[in-house]
Amino acid sequence: MPAAMFPVLRRFSRLAVLAAGAVAALAGPVLMRPAGAAQPEQQLVIMDNDFYGPGGTNMQSVIPLLGAPGVKMLGFTVTVGDGWENAEVAHLLRLLEIAGVRDVPVVPGATLPLVNSKPRLLAWEKANGVMPWKGAWKKDAPDTQPAVPPLKEGEPALRPSTETAALFLIRQVHAHPHQVTIIAGGPMTNLALAIRLDPEFAGLCRQLVFMGGIVDGNLGQVTDNADYYTDFNLMFDPEAADITLTAPFPKIMSVGGVANPLRMTQDILTRSTKAATPLSAYLKQYFKPQPMWDELAAAIVVDPQIVKTTVPAYMDVDLAHGPNHGYAHVWPEKTRPHMGERSVEIVTGVDADRFYSDFAAAAGRLTP
């Protein structure tokens, strides 16, 4: 978060939150039904993500949401994670232009984790082994956010919101109490800041669906891909994940290792790019054959019938500085420690064919 924002946060009062919410309720998106029409209400959704791009799971996660007639996107909030926040904002704005979407705000957010830093991560690696994907801190990256390099997909003409992600999240849930689903596709820094700023925030949401909580992936690191079974979203900012997963959201759903077998293949790409659109050209140019992690989390919100099986469990994040630092841990009721851990619904089985079909259909609907 830019240093200039801290005086603003200190002056931010509960009265300001409620007043902003009232204004937003009047000026923001309103769900209306024509007289006599029996139309289902749209879901109100905010996606908070580290939109590292172009291409890949972070960027493609917008497709199920923007291509769904039953979803009203209130905005995208952006956090550091797979990449630097300012570059992620630029990549997302450019993708929205290509997809012909110009009316959904992109709101900048956290530029660093709450506590974690590159020196801390490197020190952890010396004692506990290599973290295969370090996101914004990969290879020779600087410790803090650099300037945005030129975008290979072209510079966006769209501009981001002047608001800050945590305050935007708070304002929206006050404007639409108990209606907003938040999808967390990256580290949870923005959500943790919103929770600490406003004690009512989590309870005013409808639900939190997050990409993370790979609680059964240790063997997969050996037999499949160590990167795919490393819980990066939690490990990058463990303290933020702990704050978020112990907050009083009415419902929390974890989409973790179940996504790993769902790979973006050439066949899925072909099915998703049948129409000759700018988005199809983008998807073909920046095709990455990797798991569709964030796409699945988004698709489950749009079409809950994708979920076939779930397991309820109590979940929290390990903050001890050992080999499991930043990993989720789960307990049944009879053994949980009663230290603030929350009941979480863990997705364990999905309808892969339905997911792929939904994704391809949504991509085909996004034309300028």
Side-chain angles (χ1 to χ4, degrees):
M1 180 176 292
M5 284 303 302
F6 286 106
V8 176
L9 297 182
R10 284 194 294 268
R11 295 194 299 269
F12 195 77
S13 67
R14 295 292 304 118
L15 181 60
V17 176
L18 296 175
V23 171
L26 294 174
V30 178
L31 302 179
M32 301 180 64
R33 296 184 182 182
Q39 298 178 357
E41 290 187 355
Q42 291 179 306
Q43 288 197 76
L44 302 183
V45 176
I46 298 172
M47 170 167 268
D48 184 78
N49 209 344
D50 48 348
F51 293 97
Y52 179 66
T57 188
N58 308 112
M59 305 304 296
Q60 291 169 180
S61 66
V62 309
I63 291 173
L65 299 168
L66 297 174
V71 169
K72 174 65 178 180
M73 286 302 300
L74 298 177
F76 295 103
T77 52
V78 185
T79 183
V80 64
D82 281 334
W84 292 109
E85 177 267 354
N86 55 355
E88 293 169 349
V89 167
H91 285 300
L92 177 57
L93 289 169
R94 181 60 183 139
L95 173 57
L96 294 180
E97 286 181 341
I98 291 169
V101 177
R102 297 177 178 272
D103 58 350
V104 180
V106 173
V107 190
T111 62
L112 285 171
L114 297 182
V115 176
N116 202 12
S117 65
K118 187 174 183 181
R120 285 173 178 265
L121 175 57
L122 296 179
W124 178 87
E125 282 190 314
K126 289 180 181 179
N128 298 288
V130 174
M131 185 171 173
W133 173 248
K134 299 177 185 62
W137 291 322
K138 59 186 179 292
K139 297 182 181 178
D140 298 324
D143 293 3
T144 57
Q145 180 162 277
V148 180
L151 304 190
K152 54 187 174 182
E153 69 270 36
E155 303 300 323
L158 288 176
R159 291 293 175 259
S161 168
T162 57
E163 202 166 1
T164 299
L167 304 186
F168 174 84
L169 288 161
I170 292 169
R171 180 169 65 83
Q172 291 296 341
V173 301
H174 278 274
H176 310 284
H178 311 296
Q179 299 177 62
V180 179
T181 292
I182 296 177
I183 305 170
M188 300 182 183
T189 316
N190 289 333
L191 301 182
L193 290 169
I195 290 163
R196 287 298 189 248
L197 282 169
D198 178 13
E200 295 183 5
F201 168 74
L204 285 174
C205 295
R206 179 186 177 191
Q207 64 175 335
L208 169 67
V209 177
F210 76 98
M211 180 56 236
I214 302 177
V215 295
D216 54 356
N218 196 194
L219 186 60
Q221 292 184 354
V222 178
T223 59
D224 186 3
N225 185 310
D227 181 20
Y228 291 175
Y229 286 89
T230 298
D231 219 341
F232 172 82
N233 288 344
L234 305 188
M235 293 181 70
F236 191 78
D237 194 341
E239 288 75 18
D242 175 70
I243 290 170
T244 302
L245 296 182
T246 55
F249 290 96
K251 178 182 178 182
I252 301 178
M253 177 174 282
S254 167
V255 184
V258 70
N260 279 323
L262 302 177
R263 308 288 167 96
M264 185 68 178
T265 64
Q266 188 63 52
D267 175 64
I268 303 306
L269 177 67
T270 300
R271 291 168 59 183
S272 304
T273 56
K274 290 181 179 179
T277 66
L279 178 62
S280 292
Y282 173 94
L283 292 175
K284 291 176 182 177
Q285 183 172 359
Y286 301 113
F287 166 70
K288 295 179 181 178
Q290 62 181 195
M292 300 177 75
W293 294 294
D294 296 355
E295 298 98 324
L296 179 62
I300 284 172
V301 170
V302 174
D303 182 6
Q305 296 303 311
I306 289 173
V307 176
K308 290 302 181 185
T309 58
T310 63
V311 171
Y314 287 88
M315 179 181 287
D316 201 358
V317 178
D318 192 340
L319 297 183
H321 290 278
N324 295 316
H325 181 59
Y327 277 86
H329 189 80
V330 291
W331 300 265
E333 170 62 42
K334 64 181 179 181
T335 65
R336 69 185 182 99
H338 295 275
M339 295 289 289
E341 64 279 353
R342 279 291 317 278
S343 177
V344 172
E345 187 177 355
I346 302 171
V347 179
T348 56
V350 296
D351 185 335
D353 291 338
R354 185 170 183 138
F355 164 66
Y356 290 137
S357 295
D358 284 0
F359 182 84
R365 286 192 290 267
L366 285 173
T367 57

